[in-house]
Amino acid sequence: MTMSDGRPVIGLVGAGGISRAHLPALLELGSRVLVLRRTGAEALVAAHPGASVPLEIVDSLAELLDRSDVVDVVTPTPTHLDIVRAALEAGCDVICEKPLARTAADARELADCAAATGSRLFPAHVVRYFPEYLALKRAVDRGEAGRLAVLRFLRSGSFPASGWFADLEASGGVIMDQMIHDLDQARLLAGPVRSVSALRTRSSRDGHRLEVGHVNLTHASGAISQCSGVWGPPSLTFSTEYAVTGDVGTLRHSSLDGGGGGAGLEDDSFDVLDPYGPYTAQLREFFAAMTGGPAPRVSVEDGVEAVRIAEAALESVATGAPVSLVPEA
């Protein structure tokens, strides 16, 4: 169903909060976008009255899959398995918001389905496209911290408004949903994870839900990563921080500092900033890969492994003991 100018037709499934980041990026790619009729779809489309490319609401998933070349899945986590599998089996390439699935087994099933159908599956780990994290990866690769020893990550924000996030079975809570970005970063920088231990607390204050998670990772390299995630009251400003220490020095960044590379990051580290925003940069890279360009910086195996690490952390929370994470066969 490719457009006459050769651009793919994109089907967007999901009209919640994250769709408001994906849709503008999809429109910038210049393709026709079909939006599945779900709660919020009309408001989502109405927010883009001057879209320069066709934007249409369709009534069924079957119609959307039949008319699309690429499907972008931005629905709640527990729906990913069925929707992504259906799209892959329909011959569509698929972009799927993180986490790829709610369980490691489901994530592996989707990766295997993509391989079997010949369709491509791209996990949307957008933090890999944020300039602060691009700069960190570049600095680590240049050896500015030396041999990595301790990596610390913190990600804080208000408790999500949509009710399904409060259902731990559905969302996996702050560890599976929010911290998965930092678990992915830790593995990207320090390599394979061999042991996971975690704690999580839930409470309420002044009628607001609160959730805090702490996860320690032991990497095969011997490095240790400490990841913390907070879902707090509505007044809590979203923020991210990291401090990555090796035998040469420490690379730091805090979004609360108001800009700059942070201690240990050279000014030119931020030359890696894409001229587009992170969501557009991510989607442009995925679409380039679909048309014969280089593989994107995040692979389907990265998505599977991030879910495996987060699931191990949830197991550690439940058992109170560390969990060994052996390499997949």
Side-chain angles (χ1 to χ4, degrees):
M1 201 65 189
T2 303
M3 294 173 65
S4 58
D5 61 2
R7 294 175 179 171
V9 175
I10 305 166
L12 179 64
V13 183
I18 197 64
S19 69
R20 294 193 289 272
H22 277 244
L23 182 55
L26 294 173
L27 293 173
E28 285 190 42
L29 295 173
S31 291
R32 174 186 293 274
V33 179
L34 310 176
V35 180
L36 182 63
R37 190 179 301 280
R38 295 172 65 99
T39 300
E42 286 80 3
L44 179 65
V45 171
H48 299 275
S52 59
V53 294
L55 184 58
E56 177 187 350
I57 296 177
V58 298
D59 291 324
S60 70
L61 180 62
E63 179 186 359
L64 182 136
L65 297 182
D66 183 61
R67 296 176 58 188
S68 299
D69 301 296
V70 180
V71 176
D72 188 3
V73 179
V74 293
T75 56
T77 300
T79 69
H80 288 182
L81 176 64
D82 290 341
I83 295 171
V84 172
R85 181 172 54 202
L88 292 171
E89 291 176 346
C92 299
D93 290 333
V94 180
I95 300 160
C96 181
E97 252 302 327
K98 60 77 199 165
L100 189 56
R102 175 58 182 83
T103 68
D106 287 352
R108 172 48 58 197
E109 180 178 339
L110 292 178
D112 290 346
C113 182
T117 60
S119 297
R120 287 160 288 201
L121 175 56
F122 302 96
H125 282 252
V126 73
V127 167
R128 291 198 182 198
Y129 297 81
F130 272 77
E132 300 84 357
Y133 293 86
L134 285 165
L136 174 61
K137 178 66 165 65
R138 181 174 178 179
V140 168
D141 288 349
R142 293 194 302 208
E144 292 179 19
R147 180 179 174 84
L148 299 186
V150 178
L151 301 82
R152 296 183 176 91
F153 299 91
L154 172 62
R155 189 168 299 267
S156 301
S158 59
F159 202 105
S162 297
W164 70 273
F165 287 99
D167 182 345
L168 290 174
E169 288 302 313
S171 72
V174 72
I175 291 174
M176 179 66 76
D177 186 80
Q178 177 182 273
M179 192 192 296
I180 198 166
H181 283 304
D182 295 313
L183 301 176
D184 177 59
Q185 285 293 313
R187 175 178 166 269
L188 174 68
L189 297 169
V193 175
R194 292 294 175 258
S195 179
V196 182
S197 59
L199 296 171
R200 179 179 59 199
T201 60
R202 275 196 153 189
S203 60
S204 62
R205 183 180 303 167
D206 299 327
H208 300 301
R209 293 188 180 96
L210 309 173
E211 183 173 342
V212 178
H214 299 285
V215 176
N216 287 348
L217 310 176
T218 301
H219 298 265
S221 66
I224 301 294
S225 291
Q226 301 170 339
C227 301
S228 297
V230 178
W231 278 347
S235 59
L236 182 62
T237 300
F238 179 77
S239 64
T240 62
E241 300 177 27
Y242 59 69
V244 174
T245 301
D247 59 4
V248 172
T250 298
L251 306 167
R252 301 181 188 274
H253 174 78
S254 172
S255 62
L256 299 175
D257 289 342
L265 288 175
E266 296 181 2
D267 290 341
D268 67 350
S269 291
F270 281 76
D271 291 344
V272 294
L273 175 60
D274 195 283
Y276 306 93
Y279 286 93
T280 303
Q282 172 183 246
L283 293 169
R284 286 174 64 87
E285 191 171 276
F286 290 163
F287 277 78
M290 293 176 199
T291 55
R297 69 198 68 175
V298 56
S299 69
V300 66
E301 292 303 324
D302 292 327
V304 172
E305 198 64 12
V307 175
R308 278 219 312 150
I309 296 168
E311 188 173 68
L314 296 181
E315 181 182 345
S316 177
V317 168
T319 62
V323 174
S324 294
L325 198 64
V326 298
E328 285 195 307

